[in-house]
Amino acid sequence: MRENVHFEWLAPWYEKIFKPPPREEIERLLQLPTSGWLLDVGGGTGRVTSSLVAVARRVIVLDLSMGMLRQARLKPALLPVRAQAEFLPFQAHTFDRILMVDTFHHLADQRRALEELLRILAFGGVLMIEEPNYHHPLVKLIALFERVMGMNSHFVYGENIESALRQMGYAPEYRIDGAIIRIVVRT
């Protein structure tokens, strides 16, 4: 597993620096509540899904960083799992809802990760990917900063993610909200 050491030392301060996106928008796009399982891929400390535990039967936070998962473990009702998005340790069609916030650009093999996410998404499920909008000038500065810091980030345009999903046979919804893009797939 290829781990980004930056997240190890950042973990204790992560939630003080990065605030979660609006919960209401995530609930609306993921069509929550659900009686099924919710998977937060690259969920780190659980900063996003810790507020969603009441609207899903079970919430799993998946991340590669042990430091981030130690922080997630401190939150009640979150089940932390260490794994790569490109090699998910779950059976097909396990999750009713899958969320990935600010993670896609950290993945080494983005196409493989999409295939894995769609493999474990249940029939009638919803996948939501939220990423920085690489067209936005501020995001370009963030991408440059991450490159200088040696984070091995791979920022891509939202249209490229949307196109890859279409090539895989899905009809994603693509939304731009300033410096943020959201892509939603319903099966």
Side-chain angles (χ1 to χ4, degrees), residues 36-185:
W37 290 62
L38 168 63
L39 176 65
D40 184 3
V41 178
T45 64
R47 73 182 173 106
V48 176
T49 46
S50 62
S51 68
L52 300 175
V53 295
V55 293
R57 185 173 88 197
R58 189 69 191 222
V59 178
I60 293 179
V61 176
L62 182 134
D63 206 283
L64 194 51
S65 166
M66 285 304 296
M68 297 293 258
L69 290 174
R70 276 191 289 278
Q71 298 298 314
R73 196 173 294 127
L74 300 174
K75 295 178 175 73
L78 294 181
L79 177 61
V81 172
R82 184 171 190 255
Q84 284 181 269
E86 296 92 338
F87 303 97
L88 295 169
F90 306 109
Q91 292 181 348
H93 315 297
T94 300
F95 293 93
D96 295 288
R97 305 292 185 268
I98 301 174
L99 175 65
M100 180 184 278
V101 175
D102 200 25
T103 300
F104 196 76
H105 63 278
H106 294 294
L107 303 175
D109 188 342
Q110 295 168 335
R111 174 72 182 211
R112 167 101 179 153
L114 286 175
E115 291 168 353
E116 280 290 279
L117 294 170
L118 295 164
R119 179 186 66 78
I120 65 167
L121 185 62
F123 299 111
V126 181
L127 162 66
M128 181 185 136
I129 299 171
E130 181 175 296
E131 269 293 289
N133 177 5
Y134 197 46
H135 288 290
H136 197 280
L138 177 60
V139 173
K140 295 222 185 239
L141 283 175
I142 292 168
L144 177 61
F145 174 77
E146 288 192 12
R147 180 172 292 220
V148 169
M149 294 299 294
M151 293 182 74
N152 298 317
S153 300
H154 307 282
F155 285 83
V156 295
Y157 295 105
E159 306 89 274
N160 294 10
I161 302 170
E162 178 190 28
S163 176
L165 289 164
R166 287 192 187 287
Q167 289 171 11
M168 297 166 76
Y170 294 89
E173 299 169 25
Y174 176 55
R175 302 159 188 250
I176 301 172
D177 185 9
I180 299 294
I181 61 149
R182 293 183 185 97
I183 297 172
V184 178
V185 174

